Amino acid sequence: MRTTWTFSSAGELIFGPGAVRQVGEVARALRGAGTKVFVVSDRTLFQAGIYEPVRVSLGDAALTWQVFEGGQPEPSLKLADECAAMAAKFKPDVVLGLGGGSNMDVAKMTAVLLSHGGKAVDYIGDGKVPGPILPVICVPTTAGTGSEVSRAAAFTDTDNQVKTGLLSPHLRPRWAIVDPQLTLSCPPKVTADSGIDALTHAIEAYTAVDNAEFPLPPGEKSCYQGKNPLGDVNAERAIKLIGMHLRRAVKNGDDVEAREGMALGATLAGLAFSNVGVALVHALEYPVGGAVPVSHGAGNGLLLPFVMRFNLPKRCREFARIAEWLGEDAVPEKAIEAVEKLKRDIGIPERLRDIGIKREQLRTLAEKTFAIKRITRVNPRTATVQELERILQEAW
Ligand SMILES: NC(=O)c1ccc[n+]([C@@H]2O[C@H](COP(=O)([O-])OP(=O)(O)OC[C@H]3O[C@@H](n4cnc5c(N)ncnc54)[C@H](O)[C@@H]3O)[C@@H](O)[C@H]2O)c1
Ligand SMILES: [Zn+2]
């Protein structure tokens, strides 16, 4: 049984409009003059003009850098290997992840591979990174994953058709530079999907199994540690901010106040889940996201109310509070209704069949979910394979 909890974050966090202009100084401070920075990014961000302030800031700090432009949504393990191979030739001192969760996670894995060798697949699981890695700076351009403060990185395992990931304290970025202005160019779908992912992080952390009851078998270690007071503080504020701002940011991408609220909400949700854990929504989304081309956020948003309904008997008090924070009466069921309404308003798919899942796949998806112990154990209510299949049937 766990009776103590700890709280950690990125080494340093800068938040605010224009923060990206400090990226050069930050990289230089890490390794001094002549620092070589390897930037992980993608072409969509170049077209959106997001690389420009980074280029100027790195130039002003008189640094040398190289850019990987091949980032892709929901990156495969193979993509991370390719990125690391390019970085290995450049021999950087610092790795910079510029983008949504996808590029930030490839940057983290690149730093792992440059520091410890091998292939991306070798590090999948909890606690497999053997020691410190090259310093990573994360600059998020979506308001979503919280990867800029988390000790996680997620990839698509194309061989086994499942989303998978690694957890390690060494994956925490040394610096997180969160500039809400970088999210202004996010199209409505990216805003909606990444925004509801952040809401899922906050709700799963706030309703997780208690720290004192965290079911960790003897001899096993985990980066996750269950519900605790500082996780709650961050999750509460995140849920309120996302409830207030997500619809606005989707409807009008230029709404600066909504973008700022979402950027803060997503980072706070990242602080909550990366210490407490994510739970059954994420465990179900991993095989769903491996089976059909759906973004992590849309998959989570689709599944969220169905998992909330399953968890309700164990978390009535928490759900009543979430309902209030989302602007409803303090009645547990109202939290689920509020999430269903938000889902509809921002265009998250309603059902698994809408995203191409076939009914006959549900049993296999349930079995794959059941095997993802590192996150299923964070859920407040344990689920058998049959119960997981029932949740999927309801969501189908
Ligand atoms: N490491 C973690 O802690 C963690 C947590 C949750 C999710 N994830 C992972 O993160 C990934 C999802 O990340 P995401 O939701 O941030 O989306 P993403 O990084 O996959 O980006 C989606 C698309 O939006 C584009 N985009 C991003 N920012 C933009 C901007 N400002 N303007 C225009 N286009 C922009 C990207 O180029 C990309 O094409 C998944 O692989 C998921 O599993 C990681
Ligand atoms: Zn997530």
Side-chain angles (χ1 to χ4, degrees):
M1 272 197 196
R2 310 274 295 241
T3 50
T4 60
W5 52 271
T6 56
F7 192 85
S8 58
S9 172
E12 308 269 350
L13 168 70
I14 312 178
F15 184 95
V20 68
R21 291 197 290 269
Q22 297 181 49
V23 68
E25 262 169 64
V26 161
R28 194 184 162 99
L30 277 170
R31 288 290 161 98
T35 299
K36 288 168 79 179
V37 184
F38 187 76
V39 184
V40 179
S41 190
D42 66 63
R43 285 181 201 95
T44 309
L45 296 179
F46 273 71
Q47 281 154 14
I50 285 179
Y51 170 63
E52 194 48 24
V54 174
R55 186 189 67 76
V56 170
S57 180
L58 295 175
D60 287 350
L63 305 177
T64 313
W65 69 96
Q66 191 178 71
V67 186
F68 175 77
E69 293 178 25
Q72 282 170 19
E74 319 291 318
S76 64
L77 291 162
K78 196 166 148 274
L79 184 89
D81 287 330
E82 282 166 17
C83 179
M86 178 175 163
K89 291 187 192 133
F90 179 62
K91 297 190 174 50
D93 309 296
V94 173
V95 182
L96 168 62
L98 173 68
S102 297
N103 295 349
M104 292 192 279
D105 289 0
V106 171
K108 289 177 177 183
M109 183 61 100
T110 297
V112 169
L113 295 174
L114 290 178
S115 308
H116 299 291
K119 294 276 180 205
V121 69
D122 304 337
Y123 298 97
I124 294 303
D126 199 336
K128 297 236 181 102
V129 181
I133 61 174
L134 276 183
V136 174
I137 303 171
C138 277
V139 182
T141 63
T142 58
T145 68
S147 181
E148 67 276 9
V149 291
S150 87
R151 43 189 157 184
F155 297 92
T156 306
D157 175 352
T158 40
D159 292 345
N160 297 304
Q161 289 203 333
V162 69
K163 284 293 297 266
T164 187
L166 59 157
L167 289 170
S168 163
H170 301 298
L171 290 184
R172 294 264 191 209
R174 287 281 287 278
W175 283 81
I177 302 181
V178 185
D179 184 339
Q181 284 181 341
L182 298 182
T183 65
L184 286 169
S185 54
C186 273
K189 181 172 167 10
V190 174
T191 306
D193 292 3
S194 54
I196 205 152
D197 184 27
L199 181 66
T200 309
H201 294 157
I203 291 180
E204 294 218 274
Y206 190 69
T207 57
V209 66
D210 281 323
N211 170 261
E213 289 160 13
F214 197 77
L216 200 58
E220 266 194 55
K221 282 189 175 167
S222 175
C223 280
Y224 291 154
Q225 42 184 344
K227 186 171 166 64
N228 65 68
L230 207 44
D232 283 355
V233 167
N234 284 289
E236 172 178 347
R237 187 82 188 121
I239 293 168
K240 288 177 178 164
L241 283 164
I242 296 165
M244 274 189 286
H245 296 114
L246 180 52
R247 280 186 185 82
R248 278 172 56 181
V250 172
K251 202 165 166 216
N252 174 14
D254 295 328
D255 184 336
V256 175
E257 196 182 82
R259 292 295 195 183
E260 208 165 312
M262 281 307 299
L264 184 58
T267 296
L268 296 180
L271 288 173
F273 95 77
S274 65
N275 287 283
V276 173
V278 283
L280 214 46
V281 181
H282 276 73
L284 286 161
E285 194 280 325
Y286 274 11
V288 168
V292 291
V294 62
S295 76
H296 171 76
N300 275 341
L302 189 159
L303 291 159
L304 178 60
F306 299 97
V307 173
M308 288 171 78
R309 189 152 287 124
F310 176 75
N311 286 339
L312 185 67
K314 289 275 184 187
R315 284 288 180 242
C316 275
R317 212 185 45 193
E318 284 78 4
F319 279 136
R321 301 202 67 195
I322 291 171
E324 254 189 313
W325 300 337
L326 293 176
E328 304 284 340
D329 294 339
V331 176
E333 288 78 11
K334 293 268 182 196
I336 304 172
E337 287 170 26
V339 169
E340 281 169 341
K341 189 162 179 306
L342 177 62
K343 223 179 110 170
R344 273 196 297 279
D345 290 351
I346 62 173
I348 301 294
E350 292 277 325
R351 298 281 172 164
L352 289 172
R353 57 174 177 262
D354 301 338
I355 58 171
I357 296 284
K358 304 260 181 308
R359 193 168 206 149
E360 50 275 21
Q361 289 178 283
L362 300 183
R363 178 73 191 188
T364 310
L365 296 175
E367 283 165 359
K368 284 186 173 177
T369 300
F370 189 73
I372 313 176
K373 298 276 184 265
R374 70 179 190 282
I375 46 182
T376 54
R377 64 176 156 229
V378 181
N379 206 60
R381 181 175 168 193
T382 48
T384 62
V385 176
Q386 287 75 18
E387 284 167 328
L388 293 171
E389 194 178 355
R390 211 169 310 133
I391 297 171
L392 289 166
Q393 273 162 359
E394 277 157 21
W396 191 79

